[in-house]
Amino acid sequence: MASQATATFDFTGANVFVFGGTSGINLGIAECFAGAGATLAVASRKPDKVDAAVERLSADRPAHGYALDVRDADAVAAALADFHGHAGDIDVLISGAAGNFPAPATGMSPNAFKAVVDIDLLGTFNVLRAGFEYLKKPGASVINISAPQASVAMALQSHVCAAKAGVELLTQSLAIEWGPDGVRVNAVIPGPIDGTEGMARLAPTEAARRAVIDSVPLRRYGAADEIGQACLWLSSDAAAYVNGALLPVDGGWLAAGVRVPMG
Ligand code: COA
Ligand code: NAP
């Protein structure tokens, strides 16, 4: 069964910005930090999703929301500057916006491939490049949300594999560049997470879902809260020496080779 752990980390007074934090895994992460006492900012394209997320995250203290596309570097920079102006230095910066659709390379236009690479990889660069100026130094934690496709080739996922592989090496490159400033840069690699858009697209039928479950050593989907708990730990003093890590939180899926029934 899924973990029933409650937050044991105290982020009272911390400022946390989650890009792509308005639904699914990233909203689950944002909720974990809000529950641990942090002031949240979230950003994504759709204003209605931003408004709904801000309302959910504002139970204890007001959250901030920005409707933007992470492919727009100026909009990303403006949102970070605005949040910094309201709240102060950013303790935790999370880049999780992503796009995915299953398609063979020959069934994908160059613009379709580019759309995913631009959201996942260029978007993460935009978030981190603009965010650096506003991070608490020393002490900030940067987390990129990767995927098993970064290191396991998958049919119908060439765009995502290329994009997320880039995200993982970007993570480690910036861990090297920013370590001397006391900024840690890590990635979390979720396994199949229940109730998410990502798994609805990759395993849309009950048979596909069953096959995924059978391929996970723990024999279940994960919960968004379990990714959030990992991010809390990774951003806490308990993980003060963890930098440049690519952390699977996936029930052993990567270790077992990751199989999604797509060919
Ligand atoms: N198969 C092949 N090509 C596809 C496709 C599919 N299923 N879906 C979209 N495309 C193509 C489009 O045709 C377009 O190419 P074209 O201009 O040559 O026609 C290109 O991808 C961009 O599509 P568009 O809808 O303009 O892009 P967008 O920026 O509005 O949306 C996506 C980006 C396509 C990634 C969209 O699926 C999305 O917004 N996803 C976010 C949610 C998500 O994927 N969540 C799961 C995260 S793991
Ligand atoms: P999701 O709910 O669709 O989350 C994606 C988020 O990014 C949404 O808030 C979306 O909101 C936003 N977004 C998409 N394109 C954007 C853009 N161009 N600019 C700004 N924001 C954008 O999907 P999810 O399945 O929870 O995935 C979340 C993350 O986990 C992704 O990085 C994904 O690769 C990773 N992951 C997921 C799984 C899984 O099991 N689902 C497994 C491994 C890794 P808008 O539509 O409002 O823009």
Side-chain angles (χ1 to χ4, degrees):
M1 59 179 272
S3 153
Q4 297 298 311
T6 52
T8 53
F9 296 102
D10 184 6
F11 281 86
T12 303
N15 297 319
V16 179
F17 202 142
V18 185
F19 280 82
T22 63
S23 61
I25 292 173
N26 302 319
L27 178 57
I29 295 169
E31 288 183 316
C32 278
F33 278 102
T39 296
L40 267 293
V42 291
S44 81
R45 293 165 302 175
K46 299 183 184 116
D48 54 325
K49 285 179 68 174
V50 173
D51 290 346
V54 164
E55 196 178 329
R56 276 176 75 150
L57 294 165
S58 293
D60 296 322
R61 64 206 68 75
H64 303 251
Y66 303 91
L68 56 79
D69 193 314
V70 291
R71 291 169 285 191
D72 181 344
D74 290 342
V76 167
L80 284 156
D82 187 79
F83 182 49
H84 182 260
H86 281 101
D89 285 354
I90 296 174
D91 298 87
V92 181
L93 177 62
I94 296 182
S95 174
N100 192 1
F101 49 83
T106 50
M108 221 186 278
S109 69
N111 192 47
F113 188 89
K114 182 177 185 297
V116 169
V117 171
D118 280 1
I119 298 169
D120 294 25
L121 179 54
L122 180 61
T124 295
F125 178 78
N126 289 341
V127 167
L128 271 56
R129 181 182 182 281
F132 182 75
E133 175 181 353
Y134 303 113
L135 295 177
K136 182 172 288 174
K137 302 179 203 73
S141 160
V142 178
I143 300 175
N144 296 325
I145 306 303
S146 186
Q149 288 93 323
S151 56
V152 176
M154 241 180 249
L156 314 188
Q157 290 285 277
S158 60
H159 47 346
V160 176
C161 291
K164 292 291 194 181
V167 166
E168 293 199 350
L169 274 178
L170 176 63
T171 300
Q172 293 183 313
S173 301
L174 297 192
I176 296 168
E177 290 190 16
W178 295 355
D181 292 294
V183 172
R184 300 182 296 110
V185 188
N186 295 291
V188 165
I189 309 167
I193 303 302
D194 223 359
T196 59
E197 184 63 29
M199 288 316 293
R201 292 181 182 216
L202 290 185
T205 65
E206 188 48 38
R209 182 183 159 84
R210 194 72 250 164
V212 170
I213 289 172
D214 288 345
S215 72
V216 177
L218 286 182
R219 295 290 186 269
R220 65 173 176 85
Y221 273 45
D225 170 75
E226 292 176 307
I227 307 303
Q229 296 291 332
C231 291
L232 288 178
W233 171 77
L234 204 42
S235 300
S236 76
D237 288 344
Y241 203 52
V242 181
N243 187 32
L246 310 172
L247 176 69
V249 183
D250 68 351
W253 209 29
L254 259 183
V258 179
R259 271 184 302 286
V260 178
M262 293 196 304

